[in-house]
Amino acid sequence: MTALPSDSTTSVVAPIYLGVSDALNHAAQRMVMDKYIMDKAVKDHRASMLARDLHDGGYGPHEPRPFLRRVLPFFFLSSKITEARAALVPTSNTLGCSWLRSMKNFGANDVPAMVGQLTDTQKLLDGSLDTTSYAWIKPLGLIAPIEGKNRVDFLRGQGIDYIPAYVAEHSYLNPERLSLYSIQVNGFSATWAVLDGRWVTAVENPSWTVPMMEAYGVGAGASWPSDFPSPELVIQALFAPRGTTTALGHPDAPDEPIVDLDTLKATEAYLMEPMSAPIVGLSNTRIDPRFWLITASLTILGLFGLAVAPDTWDVFQLAAAMIFSGSLAAALLPLAAPIALTQRRHITEHPYLPLERSPKHKATRSRRLG
């Protein structure tokens, strides 16, 4: 690898100090190199099927930040914490996304001139170098270019150690707030990430995520806690409607498949509460058809008796009226009268969790929940 750019502004534009452990630095560099190898394999050998959602297929490689959303749990909660400053970023820790610049775009004589231009710190400072905007995910030792991403893998291929760029520090969740769990439920297996013991999301690419998170200090491999809702309930919630009173959805990322365990617990407690309902309103309950046949027959019989009985047949009319009214009441009883007391979950048309009892609704008084 080459040394630092050697122009007179190097002392002004200094390398950033990553300040992470050797293990985390190695994991970050491994992720960067793996993405570089994957992007190159897809481009040169059409291996997009193996890359799955980590590559954008025919549209080219994922840009660094969308890529990190697929491998870092709850990355959408990362935010900018400093203004951008000119610095030299280590190529080995910088994710690339080469849509344009590669060796195929230049003749052999053009490469040195292009390398010199892209590593000229004076051009960075005077604005004559193409715009750069790099997000330094400081807790992880990763740099994710937003503008100026095409040059990264080109310079990596030329053995350049540092890239001049404008860099802003970005946050990431503290490792103590995260935990990883391996889930096995019947034939279902998955890796889930949990934030603050509350928010659950699936880790879609564990071979990329787990090494990075373990190096960061995130606990992994523990069994699913007994005080959490069961994995079966979490799986069901992933297929339920999204909303403030349902468990699926995070207010800061409503389209992400994230389950709120607190809302799930509140919903389960709500569904276990006793509630009165008519018999026909109970789920998994069916009235024997013979009941309807008998009550309908008696109702018709009583009505017929009232219609044909002479006025002098007082006793017969009384009996017919009793048969008619009794059978009609019996027929209406399961339809209208809330005579069954059961848990709310056993009622066919049970309402959703009330808004005032939703933990998610209470938490939205502050904008960010992460």
Side-chain angles (χ1 to χ4, degrees):
M1 300 288 281
T2 62
L4 298 174
S6 57
D7 57 67
S8 59
T9 62
T10 301
S11 59
V12 177
V13 184
I16 62 174
Y17 173 66
L18 294 175
V20 296
S21 67
D22 290 342
L24 183 54
N25 190 47
H26 174 76
Q29 292 177 352
R30 178 65 183 271
M31 179 177 287
V32 168
M33 183 54 64
D34 285 347
K35 183 180 188 302
Y36 171 68
I37 294 171
M38 177 186 66
D39 289 349
K40 194 171 187 303
V42 174
K43 183 176 182 180
D44 296 343
H45 305 290
R46 299 182 179 180
S48 57
M49 183 182 297
L50 300 178
R52 301 185 303 115
D53 66 328
L54 295 177
H55 192 277
D56 213 8
Y59 295 98
H62 274 311
E63 296 184 7
R65 287 184 66 83
F67 170 79
L68 289 178
R69 287 183 75 112
R70 289 166 170 80
V71 296
L72 297 180
F74 305 100
F75 184 68
F76 64 87
L77 292 171
S78 172
S79 60
K80 181 178 176 181
I81 56 177
T82 68
E83 293 302 317
R85 60 183 174 88
L88 300 174
V89 301
T91 310
S92 58
N93 292 68
T94 305
L95 293 160
C97 176
S98 292
W99 290 73
L100 300 176
R101 292 189 174 93
S102 69
M103 286 299 295
K104 295 179 181 179
N105 299 114
F106 305 101
N109 296 329
D110 298 329
V111 171
M114 181 56 66
V115 171
Q117 176 181 339
L118 295 176
T119 57
D120 190 335
T121 53
Q122 182 57 48
K123 289 182 179 295
L124 175 72
L125 294 176
D126 64 23
S128 58
L129 189 63
D130 289 344
T131 302
T132 59
S133 176
Y134 286 18
W136 174 17
I137 318 302
K138 190 172 183 179
L140 299 177
L142 281 168
I143 296 95
I146 302 168
E147 295 292 341
K149 53 189 172 292
N150 287 288
R151 70 193 65 184
V152 176
D153 288 338
F154 169 73
L155 293 176
R156 193 191 319 279
Q158 300 307 306
I160 301 300
D161 282 327
Y162 289 87
I163 302 172
Y166 280 95
V167 185
E169 295 180 17
H170 286 241
S171 64
Y172 187 63
L173 301 164
N174 293 331
E176 297 81 12
R177 300 179 62 189
L178 292 167
S179 52
L180 299 178
Y181 300 97
S182 180
I183 305 300
Q184 297 283 342
V185 180
N186 299 324
F188 175 85
S189 62
T191 300
W192 289 348
V194 179
L195 170 63
D196 295 334
R198 175 175 181 180
W199 305 97
V200 181
T201 188
V203 175
E204 301 293 347
N205 299 283
S207 62
W208 293 72
T209 303
V210 174
M212 188 73 187
M213 292 293 98
E214 287 183 333
Y216 186 44
V218 174
S223 58
W224 189 249
S226 59
D227 58 336
F228 283 2
S230 69
E232 290 87 348
L233 289 176
V234 177
I235 295 171
Q236 291 175 19
L238 287 168
F239 296 95
R242 299 173 185 268
T244 304
T245 60
T246 58
L248 183 61
H250 190 294
D252 289 335
D255 294 331
E256 296 286 337
I258 298 173
V259 174
D260 179 12
L261 294 182
D262 284 359
T263 299
L264 197 55
K265 291 177 183 177
T267 300
E268 282 301 296
Y270 179 68
L271 292 178
M272 291 180 66
E273 293 177 353
M275 181 178 179
S276 298
I279 294 176
V280 294
L282 302 180
S283 59
N284 300 319
T285 301
R286 186 173 67 94
I287 296 178
D288 192 321
R290 290 173 295 183
F291 171 79
W292 301 117
L293 180 62
I294 294 171
T295 54
S297 300
L298 291 175
T299 301
I300 295 172
L301 181 62
L303 185 62
F304 179 77
L306 288 175
V308 301
D311 293 340
T312 57
W313 292 14
D314 296 339
V315 176
F316 183 85
Q317 286 182 332
L318 177 61
M322 292 178 62
I323 292 173
F324 172 75
S325 59
S327 58
L328 183 61
L332 294 177
L333 193 63
L335 295 174
I339 58 175
L341 184 63
T342 183
Q343 290 183 352
R344 199 184 302 270
R345 68 170 65 253
H346 299 309
I347 299 173
T348 304
E349 299 295 333
H350 67 76
Y352 286 114
L353 182 70
L355 187 64
E356 64 274 9
R357 294 181 58 173
S358 170
K360 198 185 297 186
H361 173 66
K362 296 174 182 177
T364 52
R365 294 171 183 170
S366 58
R367 190 185 70 83
R368 297 184 67 85
L369 303 187

